[in-house]
């Protein structure tokens, strides 16, 4: 192979890798956006359920508030990390925190007596399931790019 | 003339005709529907380019800042 051909091949491989990274980044942003919308639905549903005393006030003021802050903060952290990374950088590994935060919120809601008999709370569980599915997609993208969760 | 001008003129003509002849309102509605479909498709493909990725992330960061503050200030 001539030197020119080697340069051309190297250039083609580098260009392909850059294009793939940009596409993966863009896809990750799209999924992060979809995920954040799903979390906003949960945030509103839980906040309204607390305001209207569908959920017990003493739990809303303590562990539910803490869990929702954690969920919101981790979504923001993932967005900040993506924003800082840019299309050409490897994607950060903060997504497992999102799954942990959502599961913590689910466990808290699970522990409330009669949670599954209240249609408002059942809708929150459905929204949580949706958000967890979207987070798993995001985790899959991060894992595929970085080679580890 | 770009597609917006062309469709805008078509809508103006179709609306004027629809006012004179009710059956033409169906055509006006179809033109309007086509315009919305083209607009949505253009937005979709513009979105796929990734040119708004940073803005989207900044919007997410701003919204979740507000949500955290809302929980901080809430007492139920």
């Amino acid at each position: 192979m001539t030197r020119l051909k080697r340069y051309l091949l190297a250039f083609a491989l580098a260009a392909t890798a850059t294009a793939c990274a940009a596409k993966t980044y863009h896809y990750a942003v799209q999924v992060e956006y979809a995920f954040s919308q799903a979390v906003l639905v949960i945030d509103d549903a839980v906040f309204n359920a607390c305001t209207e005393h569908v959920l017990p006030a003493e739990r809303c003021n303590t562990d539910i508030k803490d869990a929702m802050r954690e969920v919101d903060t981790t979504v923001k952290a993932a967005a900040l990390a993506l924003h800082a990374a840019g299309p050409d950088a490897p994607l950060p590994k903060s997504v497992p925190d999102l799954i942990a935060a959502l599961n913590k919120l689910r466990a808290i809601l699970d522990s409330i007596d009669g949670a599954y008999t209240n249609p408002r709370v059942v809708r929150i569980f459905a929204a949580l399931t949706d958000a967890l599915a979207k987070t798993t997609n995001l985790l899959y993208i991060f894992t595929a790019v970085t080679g580890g969760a | 003339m770009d597609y917006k001008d062309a469709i805008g003129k078509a809508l103006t003509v179709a609306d004027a005709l629809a006012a004179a002849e009710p059956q033409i309102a169906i055509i006006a509605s179809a033109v309007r529907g086509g315009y919305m479909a083209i607009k949505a498709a253009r937005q979709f493909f513009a979105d796929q380019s990734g040119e708004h990725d940073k803005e989207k992330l900044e919007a997410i960061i701003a919204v979740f800042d507000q949500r955290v503050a809302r929980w901080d200030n809430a007492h139920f």
Side-chain angles (χ1 to χ4, degrees):
Chain A
M1 189 182 287
T2 66
R3 183 175 289 180
L4 177 63
K5 279 184 182 171
R6 277 202 295 273
Y7 280 138
L8 287 173
L9 181 62
F11 177 76
L13 286 173
T16 306
T18 303
C20 285
K23 276 283 173 201
T24 306
Y25 175 82
H26 174 59
Y27 187 46
V29 172
Q30 299 286 78
V31 176
E32 162 76 16
Y33 187 76
F35 168 78
S36 70
Q37 300 305 303
V39 172
L40 286 177
V41 170
I42 295 169
D43 188 86
D44 279 336
V46 175
F47 193 87
N48 291 336
C50 283
T51 303
E52 293 161 25
H53 303 295
V54 172
L55 292 168
E58 70 274 15
R59 304 293 300 271
C60 287
N61 285 321
T62 53
D63 51 355
I64 290 176
K65 181 188 277 197
D66 291 343
M68 275 312 310
R69 277 191 93 268
E70 192 175 333
V71 168
D72 289 348
T73 305
T74 50
V75 176
K76 184 186 153 192
L80 276 169
L82 272 171
H83 192 270
D88 299 326
L91 294 171
K93 300 182 180 182
S94 56
V95 184
D97 294 343
L98 299 176
I99 293 176
L102 286 170
N103 277 323
K104 189 172 167 184
L105 177 65
R106 184 198 285 271
I108 289 168
L109 296 177
D110 265 336
S111 73
I112 294 172
D113 286 340
Y116 284 99
T117 58
N118 187 314
R120 295 272 299 273
V121 184
V122 169
R123 279 201 288 275
I124 296 172
F125 280 118
L128 271 168
T129 303
D130 179 45
L132 277 164
K134 289 186 166 78
T135 318
T136 308
N137 283 342
L138 197 55
L139 180 65
Y140 180 75
I141 297 167
F142 276 60
T143 306
V145 170
T146 60
Chain B
M1 184 188 302
D2 70 7
Y3 86 104
K4 277 186 188 168
D5 292 335
I7 291 171
K9 283 190 169 62
L11 280 172
T12 306
V13 172
D15 283 342
L17 288 171
E21 176 55 67
Q23 283 187 337
I24 295 178
I26 296 166
I27 298 169
S29 173
V31 172
R32 204 174 293 281
Y35 169 70
M36 296 308 289
I38 291 169
K39 191 176 171 189
R42 282 173 67 95
Q43 279 175 346
F44 176 80
F45 285 111
D47 200 38
Q48 294 310 297
S49 70
E51 65 180 305
H52 299 299
D53 282 350
K54 291 281 181 187
E55 288 91 334
K56 273 187 179 172
L57 291 170
E58 283 158 13
I60 293 169
I61 293 161
V63 167
F64 279 90
D65 263 340
Q66 291 168 4
R67 294 306 173 104
V68 171
R70 182 167 77 160
W71 281 105
D72 282 342
N73 297 325
H75 187 77
F76 301 101

